[in-house]
């Protein structure tokens, strides 16, 4: 049967007020449910496991170091178009029981151009409809909201050596502070816990080069780096979780390298070589204020205090590569054939 897919085009990505996060844009497609409480960030698509989805950028598989399925750390400003294919995958799509998400990145245009974007908001520009007294009367906490957000992105793109090479490069820095839903509370041991805010910072860099050296050679090369630091799940902090019990992301670093080379031996035969390499270094550490304490849970009220669960340190990498020889035969044995011979390494 025909495939079912949602196209999120560049105009939508530019003009719809998303939170400049690919996860949110992808979650607008029919059949996609985001997993907001997990990390790495994932999504459930048409009932499949959150690890079943396949993410592709410019026809190259984005390898999660531990498993497939996590929303890739591609800068929002790099996406030109996103195709979210939910069912009816054609034969050329890699095997998946859930979604196939193809992220097409931006490429350079004629000449050399630049683009500077600055996004800002603060508590004076946003707010809820309920007053603090309304929420108190309903025994509810204040919703999490931004105290401020600064998000700066600089892009340079264009062509070199006539039209032989096209490049796109981007650097981005964002910082924000949010209030949490926690209300001041005194635990059964008599220790007072104040409300608190969460701070987040992230910086990233991206470089992409495409080339048509001749009619025979074509290539794409990309390098992407991301660095972030934030309280864990800062957007979804529990109203029953004091600051000492939270965990923090120490600087989390990701490096992604991808490459694609196509060599046409003649009009009917070509060689395709693809490779991806990712390094991910993350440190999820307990809050120092509670790390040396015991862990407490009040089953009656749902409050937890003291130490969180455990430190979680990961330093992982993954390499994926493939080489394919393709040959087209016309009008042989009563029809046309395509012969493929290839190897994959993971």
């Amino acid at each position: 049967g025909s495939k079912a897919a949602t196209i999120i085009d560049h105009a939508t990505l530019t003009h719809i007020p998303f939170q400049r996060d690919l996860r949110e844009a992808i979650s607008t497609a029919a059949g996609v449910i985001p997993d907001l409480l997990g990390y790495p960030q994932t999504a459930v698509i048409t009932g499949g496991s959150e690890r079943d989805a396949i993410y592709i950028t410019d026809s190259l598989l984005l390898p999660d170091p531990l498993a497939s399925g996590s929303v890739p750390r591609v800068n929002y400003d790099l996406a030109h178009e996103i195709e979210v294919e939910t069912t009816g995958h054609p034969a050329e799509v890699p095997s998946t029981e859930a979604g196939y998400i193809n992220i097409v990145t931006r490429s350079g245009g004629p000449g050399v151009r630049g683009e500077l974007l600055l996004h800002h908001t603060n508590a004076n520009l946003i707010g809820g409809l309920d007053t603090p007294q309304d929420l108190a009367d309903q025994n509810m906490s204040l919703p999490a909201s931004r105290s401020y957000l600064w998000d700066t992105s600089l892009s340079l793109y264009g062509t070199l050596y006539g039209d032989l090479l096209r490049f796109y490069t981007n650097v981005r820095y964002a910082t924000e502070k949010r209030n949490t839903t926690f209300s001041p509370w005194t635990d059964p041991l008599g220790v007072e816990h104040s409300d608190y805010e969460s701070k987040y910072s992230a910086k990233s860099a991206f470089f992409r080069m495409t080339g048509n050296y001749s009619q025979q050679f074509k290539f794409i090369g990309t390098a992407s780096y991301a660095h972030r630091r934030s309280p864990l799940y800062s957007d979804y902090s529990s109203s029953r979780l004091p600051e000492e019990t939270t965990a923090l992301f120490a600087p989390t670093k990701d490096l992604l390298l991808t490459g694609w080379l196509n060599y046409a031996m003649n009009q009917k035969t070509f060689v395709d070589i693809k490779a991806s390499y990712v390094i991910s270094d993350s440190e999820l550490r307990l809050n120092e204020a509670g790390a040396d304490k015991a862990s407490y849970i009040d089953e009656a009220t749902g409050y937890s205090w003291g130490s969180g669960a455990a430190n979680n340190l990961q330093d992982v990498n993954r390499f994926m590569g493939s080489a394919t020889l393709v040959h087209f035969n016309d009008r042989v044995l009563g029809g046309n054939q395509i012969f493929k011979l290839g190897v994959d390494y993971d």
Side-chain angles (χ1 to χ4, degrees):
S2 60
K3 70 178 183 179
T6 299
I7 303 297
I8 306 171
D9 59 20
H10 184 62
T12 301
L13 293 171
T14 302
H15 300 298
I16 297 298
F18 295 123
Q19 294 188 28
R20 294 175 50 75
D21 186 331
L22 286 183
R23 176 184 61 169
E24 181 175 345
I26 293 171
S27 297
T28 63
V32 179
I33 301 175
D35 178 9
L36 301 178
L37 298 180
Y39 186 85
Q41 298 164 350
T42 58
V44 175
I45 301 178
T46 59
S49 165
E50 65 271 15
R51 293 297 184 184
D52 287 338
I54 292 179
Y55 293 86
I56 302 287
T57 178
D58 298 323
S59 300
L60 293 170
L61 183 66
L62 289 172
D64 184 305
L66 297 178
S68 61
S70 67
V71 178
R73 300 172 185 87
V74 176
N75 189 338
Y76 185 88
D77 292 323
L78 306 182
H80 176 74
E81 181 181 278
I82 305 173
E83 179 185 18
V84 183
E85 189 178 289
T86 53
T87 59
H89 307 305
E92 61 268 20
V93 170
S95 176
T96 175
E97 298 179 1
Y100 171 80
I101 297 92
N102 183 27
I103 302 170
V104 180
T105 58
R106 299 172 64 181
S107 60
V112 177
R113 302 180 181 183
E115 182 179 81
L116 176 64
L117 299 175
L118 175 62
H119 295 258
H120 172 68
T121 189
N122 58 56
N124 295 324
L125 301 176
I126 54 178
L129 298 178
D130 294 319
T131 66
Q133 185 59 49
D134 292 335
L135 296 172
D137 292 342
Q138 302 174 62
N139 195 27
M140 297 175 62
S141 302
L142 287 171
S145 62
R146 287 192 177 106
S147 300
Y148 65 77
L149 167 69
W150 290 98
D151 189 347
T152 307
S153 175
L154 174 64
S155 301
L156 293 174
Y157 51 91
T159 57
L160 299 172
Y161 303 106
D163 235 2
L164 290 179
L165 299 176
R166 289 174 175 262
F167 73 94
Y168 184 91
T169 184
N170 173 274
V171 291
R172 180 182 175 189
Y173 178 75
T175 179
E176 75 170 3
K177 183 166 70 171
R178 286 175 173 264
N179 73 297
T180 63
T181 60
F182 183 79
S183 298
W185 172 69
T186 301
D187 66 38
L189 302 180
V191 178
E192 295 183 356
H193 301 273
S194 303
D195 55 355
Y196 58 96
E197 295 180 314
S198 64
K199 295 182 180 180
Y200 167 90
S201 65
K203 50 189 175 182
S204 62
F206 176 86
F207 180 78
R208 179 178 189 263
M209 180 76 75
T210 63
N212 298 302
Y213 182 72
S214 66
Q215 294 296 324
Q216 289 182 296
F217 286 98
K218 299 179 182 179
F219 72 89
I220 300 175
T222 66
S224 178
Y225 175 78
H227 178 287
R228 64 177 244 167
R229 180 183 180 91
S230 70
L232 180 63
Y233 314 146
S234 59
D235 292 349
Y236 311 100
S237 297
S238 169
S239 60
R240 301 293 187 267
L241 202 67
E243 185 174 15
E244 68 174 23
T245 314
T246 61
L248 303 173
F249 271 127
T252 301
K253 306 170 187 176
D254 297 286
L255 175 66
L256 174 64
L257 304 174
T258 63
W260 172 78
L261 174 65
N262 180 273
Y263 171 62
M265 302 174 67
N266 52 55
Q267 290 185 340
K268 296 184 178 181
T269 307
F270 67 88
V271 177
D272 219 20
I273 300 174
K274 300 178 181 180
S276 301
Y277 182 64
V278 62
I279 300 174
S280 181
D281 179 10
S282 64
E283 298 183 8
L284 177 58
R285 296 189 177 275
L286 300 177
N287 192 301
E288 293 181 358
D292 296 331
K293 299 180 180 180
S295 297
Y296 301 92
I297 300 176
D298 189 330
E299 296 289 354
T301 63
Y303 277 96
S304 298
W305 71 99
S307 174
N311 291 319
N312 186 354
L313 312 180
Q314 295 183 357
D315 184 4
V316 294
N317 60 78
R318 186 178 185 184
F319 174 82
M320 304 178 69
S322 67
T324 307
L325 175 67
V326 181
H327 179 72
F328 296 91
N329 267 345
D330 299 329
R331 299 176 182 177
V332 176
L333 301 176
N336 301 330
Q337 293 86 33
I338 301 176
F339 296 95
K340 291 186 177 182
L341 176 66
V343 293
D344 290 285
Y345 178 79
D346 189 344

